[in-house]
């Protein structure tokens, strides 16, 4: 379908030109636009032409976490790792990661950008994560005969490959030497597209989550604040998540029976202040407790986290965890980070695109709520019934532990490309 391909290329070129303008109207787009402009300087100054490169691309923070177990095993003495992000929420959080040598935004999938990127990076291997399918980049990898794999891939019936307007992109999937898929349904969908070079390895996020429980997760200040009381951790919340639990939070603040820790998805000042103002009672701020330690003995029931990088440790203090994103359409955040600590998980209603949530619900470790009454009933029952809470928590911990191993499948395949590519 040359016409559709031509339209895509025209649209990509337009997006490349329009992104700086869009940045005037949207803060997130501004970050992405300015970051992509800097990408060329980063690549030009940091990529070493004398060392073979491994290009790893992820969409955002969640996909980065999926590929961490693999990044940790790549041989940095022999290869230089170039890590690219599509979204600001991923790049801005992980631009200083020590797991890659070069970190930048992925330039828009315009033909001119792709040619320039491939010329600067000259990858010897490409690793894509989940469902990052940029046709011009994939076609370039294919034409340059760069070994390419997909990690923790997902294919669904409703993806654009099955639509009249997106079927032309199917040929770009020929760039992949192997597809490591999360589940059998993805394998079936991929076979419908004509590809057999795939296997169900599982989701590397389970491996990443299982690592969390092995590290030191202590936060002494939280122990002082919680002071032996039951604790609800609300992770990666959005306004619609807070709205559905607001009535319960007000009631709990009156009794102060349960400590609540809220870690919003967006932690810049404007959003944190907006969250605080949405609650009709006073809350604590994490950074303020670090400055004024006496606040840790406050009788306030809610602590708002205004710092990134703490949530996975905070989950270890939860008796019940609410994972945000599914009350609205922003996307469910990572439930494994909470489940790995043997904590019952509560989420919103919109999780159809997240098979792991449906599976954990079927097993009895996860509860989906649709409204404020659902939230209150579910959370109250979990806190009041010790046996139910402990039982569902055990289900969650066992589920994570029993689904590890996807990383090893990928590493074995990478060793066939180069035995020295992976460190022991």
């Amino acid at each position: 379908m040359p016409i559709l391909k031509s339209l895509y290329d025209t649209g990509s070129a337009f997006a490349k030109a329009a992104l700086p303008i869009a940045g005037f109207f949207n803060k997130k787009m501004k970050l992405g636009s300015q970051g992509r402009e800097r990408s060329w300087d980063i690549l030009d100054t940091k990529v070493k032409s004398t060392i073979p490169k491994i290009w790893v691309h992820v969409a955002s923070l969640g996909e980065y976490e999926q590929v961490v177990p693999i990044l940790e095993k790549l041989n940095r003495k022999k290869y230089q790792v170039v890590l690219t992000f599509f979204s600001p929420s991923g790049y801005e959080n992980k631009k200083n990661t020590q797991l890659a040598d070069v970190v930048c935004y992925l330039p828009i999938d315009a033909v001119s950008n792709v040619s320039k990127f491939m010329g600067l990076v000259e990858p010897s291997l490409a690793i894509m994560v989940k469902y990052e399918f940029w046709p011009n980049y994939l076609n370039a990898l294919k034409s340059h005969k760069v070994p390419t794999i997909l990690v923790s891939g997902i294919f669904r019936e409703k993806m654009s490959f099955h639509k009249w307007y997106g079927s032309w992109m199917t040929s770009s999937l020929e760039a992949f030497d192997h597809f490591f898929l999360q589940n059998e349904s993805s394998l079936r969908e991929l076979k419908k597209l004509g590809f057999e070079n795939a296997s169900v390895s599982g989701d590397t996020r389970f491996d990443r989550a299982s690592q969390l429980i092995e590290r030191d997760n202590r936060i002494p200040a939280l122990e002082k604040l919680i002071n032996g009381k039951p604790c609800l951790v609300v992770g990666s919340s959005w306004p619609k998540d807070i709205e559905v639990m607001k009535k319960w939070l007000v009631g709990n603040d009156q009794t102060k029976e349960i400590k609540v820790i809220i870690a919003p998805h967006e932690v810049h000042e404007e959003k944190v202040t907006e969250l605080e103002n949405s609650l009709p009672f006073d809350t604590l701020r994490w950074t303020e407790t670090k400055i004024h330690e006496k606040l840790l003995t406050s009788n306030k029931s809610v602590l708002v986290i205004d710092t990134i990088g703490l949530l996975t440790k905070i989950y270890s203090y939860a008796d019940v965890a609410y994972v945000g994103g599914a009350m609205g359409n922003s996307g469910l955040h990572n439930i494994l980070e909470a489940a790995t600590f043997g904590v019952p998980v509560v989420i919103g209603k919109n999780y159809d695109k997240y098979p792991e949530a449906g599976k954990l619900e079927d097993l009895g470790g996860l509860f989906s709520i649709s409204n404020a009454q659902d939230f209150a009933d579910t959370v109250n029952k979990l806190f009041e019934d010790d046996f139910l809470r402990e039982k569902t928590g055990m289900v969650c911990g066992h589920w994570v532990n029993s689904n590890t191993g996807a990383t090893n499948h990928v590493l074995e395949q990478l060793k066939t490309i180069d035995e020295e590519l992976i460190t022991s």
Side-chain angles (χ1 to χ4, degrees):
M1 302 212 178
I3 295 177
L4 293 176
K5 171 68 165 64
S6 179
L7 287 173
Y8 176 84
D9 288 341
T10 301
S12 297
F14 176 78
K16 174 186 173 183
L19 198 58
I21 300 172
F24 286 109
F25 306 97
N26 184 287
K27 187 174 182 179
K28 201 168 185 179
M29 284 190 174
K30 183 177 181 179
L31 277 174
S33 173
Q34 293 176 343
R36 282 182 169 82
E37 283 300 313
R38 290 193 296 270
S39 290
W40 298 119
D41 288 333
I42 293 171
L43 292 169
D44 194 42
T45 56
K46 292 190 176 182
V47 172
K48 299 178 181 178
S49 60
T50 56
I51 302 175
K53 270 78 65 181
I54 301 171
W55 171 31
V56 180
H57 177 64
V58 299
S60 192
L61 192 57
E63 290 75 19
Y64 168 82
E65 293 295 336
Q66 282 180 297
V67 83
V68 162
I70 294 168
L71 287 172
E72 290 174 336
K73 290 293 186 179
L74 295 178
N75 187 345
R76 302 274 292 283
K77 292 181 179 179
K78 183 175 181 180
Y79 288 88
Q80 191 177 32
V81 176
V82 178
L83 174 66
T84 58
F85 287 88
F86 181 78
S87 90
S89 60
Y91 175 77
E92 298 301 329
N93 279 309
K94 295 298 177 181
K95 58 187 175 184
N96 296 317
T97 178
Q98 299 300 304
L99 294 178
D101 303 288
V102 183
V103 185
C104 66
Y105 281 93
L106 181 70
I108 295 294
D109 190 36
V111 174
S112 58
N113 280 348
V114 172
S115 178
K116 186 176 180 180
F117 180 88
M118 293 296 288
L120 286 170
V121 178
E122 296 182 323
S124 299
L125 168 69
I127 301 174
M128 306 288 152
V129 181
K130 198 172 181 179
Y131 39 50
E132 276 296 273
F133 306 119
W134 297 104
N136 285 326
Y137 278 107
L138 290 176
N139 289 334
L141 290 169
K142 179 185 173 184
S143 65
H144 286 78
K145 298 181 180 180
V146 178
T148 303
I149 64 168
L150 180 70
V151 172
S152 296
I154 288 182
F155 286 86
R156 301 190 185 96
E157 186 178 359
K158 294 182 179 180
M159 292 175 79
S160 57
F161 299 112
H162 297 285
K163 311 293 184 182
W164 67 267
Y165 56 82
S167 59
W168 66 272
M169 294 192 295
T170 303
S171 62
S172 66
L173 297 178
E174 294 172 5
F176 289 101
D177 293 83
H178 197 83
F179 300 86
F180 291 96
L181 306 176
Q182 291 191 28
N183 48 44
E184 292 289 344
S185 61
S186 292
L187 184 63
R188 289 193 295 271
E189 292 303 321
L190 187 58
K191 285 183 177 179
K192 289 179 186 178
L193 296 173
F195 294 90
E196 300 282 344
N197 53 326
S199 59
V200 177
S201 59
D203 189 345
T204 51
R205 281 185 304 170
F206 285 94
D207 299 305
R208 175 60 172 157
S210 68
Q211 293 175 341
L212 299 177
I213 204 167
E214 297 171 359
R215 70 183 182 184
D216 183 359
N217 290 293
R218 290 175 299 172
I219 306 177
L222 282 189
E223 294 171 10
K224 188 172 184 180
L225 178 72
I226 295 169
N227 194 29
K229 285 195 171 185
C231 180
L232 169 69
V233 173
V234 180
S236 300
S237 68
W238 292 80
K240 288 190 176 181
D241 297 302
I242 300 301
E243 189 63 33
V244 82
M245 63 181 71
K246 188 182 295 183
K247 184 176 180 181
W248 182 90
L249 289 170
V250 171
N252 181 69
D253 187 66
Q254 292 168 353
T255 63
K256 296 180 172 54
E257 292 180 355
I258 298 168
K259 289 293 186 178
V260 181
I261 302 172
I262 301 177
H265 174 65
E266 297 180 296
V267 296
H268 51 266
E269 179 62 29
E270 178 186 350
K271 293 298 181 181
V272 173
T273 300
E274 183 181 305
L275 166 60
E276 292 172 326
N277 291 340
S278 72
L279 299 173
F281 54 84
D282 291 336
T283 62
L284 286 174
R285 276 244 203 152
W286 173 250
T287 52
E288 290 177 358
T289 67
K290 299 296 285 183
I291 298 170
H292 307 289
E293 192 173 335
K294 64 180 181 180
L295 291 173
L296 291 170
T297 58
S298 165
N299 65 349
K300 294 177 183 177
S301 63
V302 175
L303 171 69
V304 177
I305 304 298
D306 54 356
T307 305
I308 62 172
L310 287 176
L311 179 58
T312 54
K313 288 190 174 185
I314 292 172
Y315 277 135
S316 71
Y317 288 91
D319 292 289
V320 177
Y322 178 96
V323 179
M327 274 311 298
N329 298 312
S330 52
L332 176 64
H333 290 277
N334 192 347
I335 63 172
L336 277 63
E337 292 175 343
T340 193
F341 290 104
V343 178
V345 176
V346 183
I347 64 170
K349 58 187 177 179
N350 300 317
Y351 61 98
D352 291 347
K353 293 182 179 180
Y354 301 86
E356 70 278 9
K359 179 64 176 176
L360 187 55
E361 184 178 37
D362 290 342
L363 292 171
L366 178 143
F367 303 85
S368 171
I369 57 101
S370 299
N371 51 52
Q373 190 61 54
D374 277 355
F375 177 85
D377 290 345
T378 301
V379 171
N380 286 338
K381 187 173 183 179
L382 285 169
F383 277 111
E384 292 167 4
D385 190 334
D386 293 345
F387 177 76
L388 174 64
R389 187 177 66 252
E390 291 171 8
K391 176 185 173 183
T392 54
M394 287 177 64
V395 168
C396 289
H398 177 72
W399 174 66
V400 172
N401 189 56
S402 62
N403 281 280
T404 57
T407 300
N408 288 335
H409 285 277
V410 178
L411 297 180
E412 288 303 314
Q413 174 73 14
L414 292 177
K415 285 179 182 178
T416 66
I417 298 171
D418 178 2
E419 186 68 32
E420 296 182 5
L421 197 152
I422 303 300
T423 59
S424 58

